[in-house]
């Protein structure tokens, strides 16, 4: 199993540009989520999905869109990049909610200039 | 509202000494509690979790954690630290009743183990 994969590893955008961060998992997990990691702030939930076709907002959803057309894939779209979106983004998946632990991808480091 | 606090930004220990990384939490109901470790430029790796039952939970790489309901704490411990344990550690909580699966993370504690 590859686990959770994310592409790209690094990205530099100009303010106003859009892009999609890719996330895929091969563990047949129902639950997937996107976090951003900023120094001294831990990880903050952006969006999550409890299954294909179902998504919902987390703590910091503004400026981001998601969709979940398949169990495997959960892309994160930045609609119009802003410097405040400079961060490290992590995708995670788990068998479900409750006591299931989440498995994390390697992250995407995004810089918006 | 759920929250997690890791009161120490950094913990320094000598190799071979015991280590403790502190975590306290706040939830309105019963918690599921997790510890993750992050090595430089890597994603988070799961270490251990508390679901119910025995208050002492054992996990990967010789780590354990003690759940204390009265103090709402879930401190991570290891009897003998290794230099390779140096990393960033995150505590996280999820409520039993949460149907969103939302995991709330602490801000992280950097563990530095010196030879």
């Amino acid at each position: 199993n590859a686990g959770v994969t994310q592409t790209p590893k690094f990205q530099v955008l100009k303010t106003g540009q859009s892009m999609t961060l890719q996330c895929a998992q091969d563990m047949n997990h129902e639950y997937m989520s996107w976090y951003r990691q900023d120094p001294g702030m831990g990880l903050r939930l952006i969006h999550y999905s409890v299954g294909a076709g179902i998504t919902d907002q987390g703590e910091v959803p503004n400026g981001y869109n998601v969709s979940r057309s398949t169990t495997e894939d959960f892309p994160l779209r930045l609609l119009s990049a802003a410097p405040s979106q400079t961060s490290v983004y992590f995708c995670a998946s788990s068998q479900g909610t409750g006591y299931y632990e989440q498995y994390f991808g390697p992250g995407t480091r995004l810089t918006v200039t | 509202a759920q929250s997690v606090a890791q009161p120490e930004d950094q913990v320094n220990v000598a190799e071979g000494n015991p280590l403790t990384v502190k975590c306290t939490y706040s939830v309105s109901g019963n918690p599921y509690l997790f510890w993750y470790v992050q090595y430089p430029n890597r994603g988070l790796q799961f270490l251990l979790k508390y679901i119910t039952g025995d208050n002492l939970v054992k996990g990967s790489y010789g780590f354990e954690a003690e759940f204390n309901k009265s103090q709402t704490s879930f401190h991570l411990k290891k009897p003998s630290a290794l230099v390779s344990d140096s990393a960033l550690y995150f505590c996280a909580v999820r409520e039993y009743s949460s149907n969103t699966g939302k995991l709330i993370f602490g801000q992280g504690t950097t563990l530095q183990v010196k030879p």
Side-chain angles (χ1 to χ4, degrees):
Chain A
N1 283 356
V4 180
T5 57
Q6 291 182 240
T7 56
K9 280 186 185 289
F10 302 96
Q11 183 71 48
V12 179
L13 290 178
K14 292 189 190 315
T15 297
Q17 287 184 315
S18 62
M19 78 160 295
T20 299
L21 307 186
Q22 300 292 346
C23 173
Q25 52 90 10
D26 61 359
M27 298 174 281
N28 201 33
H29 284 171
E30 289 297 321
Y31 187 89
M32 296 186 74
S33 53
W34 276 101
Y35 295 88
R36 58 178 289 172
Q37 183 180 24
D38 301 294
M41 301 188 73
L43 279 77
R44 292 181 291 169
L45 182 65
I46 305 171
H47 285 286
Y48 66 94
S49 169
V50 297
I54 307 168
T55 64
D56 207 344
Q57 297 180 350
E59 297 173 76
V60 288
N62 292 342
Y64 308 95
N65 271 357
V66 291
S67 59
R68 183 101 181 268
S69 55
T70 67
T71 299
E72 294 78 19
D73 300 299
F74 192 43
L76 178 72
R77 295 184 190 83
L78 279 70
L79 308 172
S80 177
S84 60
Q85 294 179 303
T86 294
S87 188
V88 182
Y89 291 84
F90 289 101
C91 180
S93 74
S94 63
Q95 283 183 269
T97 58
Y99 56 78
Y100 292 106
E101 65 272 20
Q102 295 192 359
Y103 294 82
F104 284 79
T108 295
R109 187 174 293 274
L110 175 68
T111 302
V112 183
T113 61
Chain B
Q2 302 171 69
S3 66
V4 176
Q6 294 180 240
E8 300 151 318
D9 288 337
Q10 182 155 328
V11 170
N12 299 308
V13 299
E15 189 173 33
N17 282 2
L19 69 88
T20 298
V21 182
K22 294 180 180 176
C23 171
T24 58
Y25 66 91
S26 174
V27 296
S28 56
N30 291 316
Y32 296 117
L33 293 153
F34 304 83
W35 275 102
Y36 288 85
V37 60
Q38 184 180 32
Y39 297 101
N41 301 312
R42 303 285 295 275
L44 277 70
Q45 295 178 33
F46 168 73
L47 276 180
L48 53 78
K49 64 184 175 185
Y50 172 79
I51 301 173
T52 187
D54 195 349
N55 289 342
L56 187 63
V57 178
K58 294 188 185 297
S60 306
Y61 313 122
F63 284 94
E64 56 191 28
E66 186 166 14
F67 172 66
N68 187 317
K69 187 171 184 177
S70 63
Q71 297 186 5
T72 60
S73 66
F74 189 55
H75 301 331
L76 182 70
K77 301 182 182 193
K78 188 173 182 182
S80 178
L82 299 172
V83 172
S84 57
D85 292 330
S86 298
L88 182 58
Y89 290 80
F90 289 99
C91 181
V93 69
R94 181 189 288 140
E95 272 190 348
Y96 268 28
S97 60
S98 170
N99 57 3
T100 68
K102 184 176 170 181
L103 202 56
I104 301 298
F105 285 86
Q107 67 271 37
T109 298
T110 298
L111 174 65
Q112 188 77 26
V113 182
K114 295 201 159 77

